[in-house]
Amino acid sequence: MFRKIRKKKLDSFKSILSGRHNMLIVLQDFPDPDAIAAASALKEIANTIGNVQCSVACGGVLGRAENRMLVRYLDLNLLSTDQVMLADFDVVAMVDTQPGTGNNSLPVDVIPDIVIDHHPIRRATRSSAFYDIRSKYGSTSTILYEYVVSFGLTPDTKLTTALLYGIRSDTNDLGAESIQADIDASIALYPAANKKMLGRIQTERLPKEYFQMLTLGLQNARSYGPCVVSSIGSINNPDMIGEIADLLLRNEESSWALCYGIYGKKMLLSLRALDTKYDAGRVMHKLVYKYGTGGGHNVMAGGQIPLPSATPESIRRLERHIIKKFLKLTNAPRDKWERLVSL
């Protein structure tokens, strides 16, 4: 059954927009379809009920071909946070991320007015004037869809298609970590979605660099009992880290998959777990503790570690530490390993 947002919550949301003219919507640095769709829904709500003009920004790049395709389909002018001046906006919002997570480029001294997310709540988020955090939900798109409907709006075909794709991509087609709310939203969205475009987004053509990084990820993959670990070195497409982690978890002997790479002056990590009985978010948090930031859900998590002096030796030391700690946290053998792919 569709969950309608309470009137008190809707009135509180509208009060934030009252008298405002320009809103900046901040996404994680490397936004996924869920973030892109959720931002588009928030933009539609702000435009329609508050006559507030919106800009959407992130601090990184769109790596996956399907993400770029989705942005083109939505005609979304996704800006870099380096291109925007916070002083130009009288309201700041975040979707699918929160202040203090380390995966977005909102200055740490800026508290957003609005935060809507499906990840565990962060302490800094409680300082926002309005926040709606539902860590049991499989996607932020589901939350925003409930707001769209509760405000009496009817999303057009493009937004409908984006929200459906956002839900399906973040829940692995309503599999791991989806709840009834995600299923209900998908059922409601599906009839009006552009099915042909859904197929095109999912099967967007890929550059040869994608296959080169995929090959490197497989060549570097090592199995430690139930765990598989891989590094893809220095990269220009951070989304590949998560994509390779997803692929490695499909190894029939693996319960955990960790992939990491270097982007700019950061080590980025993606962690996947086979079952919801595992807590990938907790493991990632402990994995990067004192080095960086990280977290997530039961089966999916991400982290980032700043590299102020990214010398080859310092990176190797950090890699050894991360692998050793990961294997300890997952009770995997540390001395016995084998390559996943024979060279």
Side-chain angles (χ1 to χ4, degrees):
M1 181 65 67
F2 170 74
R3 180 181 183 274
K4 192 170 184 179
I5 309 294
R6 295 191 308 272
K7 183 178 183 300
K8 183 179 180 180
K9 194 79 170 177
L10 297 178
D11 290 343
S12 177
F13 182 89
K14 286 193 288 187
S15 71
I16 301 295
L17 300 182
S18 179
R20 308 297 180 94
H21 304 286
N22 298 290
M23 178 162 73
L24 176 65
I25 303 174
V26 179
L27 309 182
Q28 61 261 52
D29 287 340
F30 313 110
D32 58 17
D34 185 33
I36 294 165
S40 298
L42 180 58
K43 180 180 178 182
E44 176 66 16
I45 293 169
N47 288 166
T48 305
I49 70 166
N51 196 29
V52 176
Q53 301 303 306
C54 300
S55 296
V56 183
C58 70
V61 297
L62 289 173
R64 291 194 180 193
E66 55 265 41
N67 295 351
R68 296 193 296 271
M69 180 69 174
L70 180 61
V71 167
R72 289 197 300 270
Y73 175 61
L74 289 168
D75 295 319
L76 183 63
N77 182 22
L78 186 59
L79 304 174
S80 168
T81 50
D82 292 337
Q83 296 176 282
V84 299
M85 297 289 293
L86 286 173
D88 294 336
F89 302 91
D90 46 21
V91 60
V92 176
M94 302 187 89
V95 293
D96 206 37
T97 185
Q98 297 177 52
T101 59
N103 69 345
N104 63 69
S105 294
L106 187 71
V108 294
D109 60 338
V110 176
I111 301 299
D113 303 278
I114 298 170
V115 183
I116 302 177
D117 189 22
H118 76 120
H119 298 94
I121 192 166
R122 308 284 294 200
R123 181 180 300 176
T125 298
R126 299 186 188 277
S127 299
S128 297
F130 180 94
Y131 60 88
D132 192 342
I133 309 300
R134 307 186 203 172
S135 59
K136 292 185 179 180
Y137 273 50
S139 76
T140 305
S141 292
T142 300
I143 304 172
L144 264 300
Y145 173 70
E146 291 182 359
Y147 274 91
V148 168
V149 177
S150 296
F151 275 122
L153 308 179
T154 301
D156 63 14
T157 300
K158 287 187 175 182
L159 181 55
T160 296
T161 304
L163 286 170
L164 179 58
Y165 186 68
I167 295 169
R168 289 173 59 172
S169 65
D170 234 42
T171 61
N172 290 322
D173 279 328
L174 301 176
E177 298 193 330
S178 64
I179 64 170
Q180 191 61 44
D182 302 301
I183 297 170
D184 291 342
S186 297
I187 291 172
L189 288 162
Y190 186 79
N194 184 331
K195 284 76 171 180
K196 184 177 180 180
M197 182 53 63
L198 283 172
R200 285 187 60 189
I201 294 171
Q202 289 176 306
T203 59
E204 176 67 353
R205 292 172 66 83
L206 301 164
K208 65 180 182 180
E209 289 78 13
Y210 170 91
F211 300 98
Q212 291 169 348
M213 281 190 283
L214 187 63
T215 299
L216 182 61
L218 292 174
Q219 289 176 337
N220 290 342
R222 294 182 175 188
S223 289
Y224 298 82
C227 298
V228 59
V229 181
S230 183
S231 166
I232 53 176
S234 296
I235 54 173
N236 57 14
N237 179 0
D239 285 341
M240 283 301 299
I241 299 172
E243 190 148 350
I244 291 173
D246 289 335
L247 178 62
L248 294 177
L249 189 62
R250 297 184 66 179
N251 172 38
E252 62 183 2
E253 298 177 359
S254 299
S255 300
W256 293 91
L258 174 67
C259 184
Y260 59 89
I262 308 300
Y263 180 79
K265 292 188 176 181
K266 283 185 178 181
M267 174 184 284
L268 304 178
L269 306 96
S270 284
L271 179 61
R272 302 293 184 263
L274 182 62
D275 196 275
T276 54
K277 68 182 179 181
Y278 303 111
D279 192 341
R282 180 186 62 84
V283 170
M284 178 58 74
H285 177 72
K286 290 185 175 182
L287 197 59
V288 300
Y289 181 63
K290 292 186 178 180
Y291 287 86
T293 56
H297 296 280
N298 288 339
V299 299
M300 184 182 302
Q304 45 279 317
I305 299 174
L307 300 172
S309 58
T311 64
E313 180 54 35
S314 66
I315 292 174
R316 282 194 294 270
R317 284 198 304 268
L318 179 59
E319 287 179 325
R320 289 194 294 267
H321 168 79
I322 290 295
I323 294 172
K324 182 180 179 180
K325 193 168 184 179
F326 172 58
L327 298 177
K328 182 178 180 180
L329 288 169
T330 55
N331 296 315
R334 281 177 270 177
D335 300 325
K336 186 178 180 181
W337 61 270
E338 62 181 2
R339 291 190 180 276
L340 185 66
V341 177
S342 299
L343 301 179

